[in-house]
Amino acid sequence: MNAFTSFSGFAPMFPSGTPDADPFFARYGRGLPRGLREEASGMSWTEFESTYGAQHGPVRLGGWTATALGAGRSAFEATIAIGDTIHTASATTCGPIAAMTAMLYDLGLNIEILSFHRHDLGEMSATFLLCRSGERTTWVMGTGETGNESSLRAMIAGINTLGA
């Protein structure tokens, strides 16, 4: 037994059940954030992905570019479809999350990120967001080849799920 297994000051990693009840852990060996893990406990991977990864909604992300400007700022441009209407949006910020938030706001889509968690899993990344729009709050997930891609996809899932 090592010093960590006998120390009682830490809560167990999976207080609401076994790791098997966490669909992300069962698939990738990494645990979901606490609130999401409790909501998703016992779901299959297919159920989890369709519930929390809403990529097929009225809001879709097409192209995305970033141009470094210096001093930590970048110019971002995106093609965002809302229903049948395609918009070109842009923002100059310190990062892609701030840029996407500004772009969505400019298009009348408000989303607030309350909690942000990301797992980099080698060739893919998964981002989990607890987000809010108005009085509605939900957990969402986005996956992608990079952390930025998974974060942007999670934000789109949040907009589609919340109907912002």
Side-chain angles (χ1 to χ4, degrees):
M1 179 181 310
N2 66 39
F4 294 108
T5 58
S6 63
F7 184 75
S8 61
F10 290 107
M13 185 173 169
F14 293 93
S16 61
T18 66
D20 297 335
D22 177 335
F24 195 79
F25 186 88
R27 187 169 184 93
Y28 294 107
R30 305 284 300 272
L32 291 169
R34 179 173 290 155
L36 178 54
R37 182 174 59 235
E38 292 160 357
E39 275 187 29
S41 180
M43 284 185 172
S44 70
W45 176 251
T46 303
E47 290 172 304
F48 178 80
E49 198 170 36
S50 68
T51 300
Y52 297 102
Q55 294 299 310
H56 305 290
V59 180
R60 297 168 316 281
L61 177 62
W64 179 268
T65 61
T67 304
L69 301 175
R73 296 179 58 79
S74 295
F76 298 91
E77 191 169 293
T79 304
I80 300 172
I82 303 172
D84 294 332
T85 305
I86 297 175
H87 304 271
T88 299
S90 62
T92 300
T93 65
C94 292
I97 304 295
M100 179 60 86
T101 302
M103 289 179 203
L104 292 171
Y105 180 82
D106 288 346
L107 293 170
L109 303 168
N110 301 318
I111 187 169
E112 179 182 1
I113 298 171
L114 304 175
S115 185
F116 178 99
H117 303 267
R118 184 166 55 210
H119 288 307
D120 292 317
L121 304 165
E123 294 184 16
M124 76 167 267
S125 177
T127 299
F128 307 96
L129 303 176
L130 178 61
C131 45
R132 175 172 49 209
S133 180
E135 297 298 317
R136 297 187 62 208
T137 302
T138 191
W139 281 99
V140 293
M141 173 189 73
T143 59
E145 292 180 12
T146 66
N148 286 341
E149 182 182 351
S150 69
S151 297
L152 297 174
R153 287 185 177 185
M155 292 180 75
I156 296 297
I159 287 292
N160 284 325
T161 302
L162 292 168

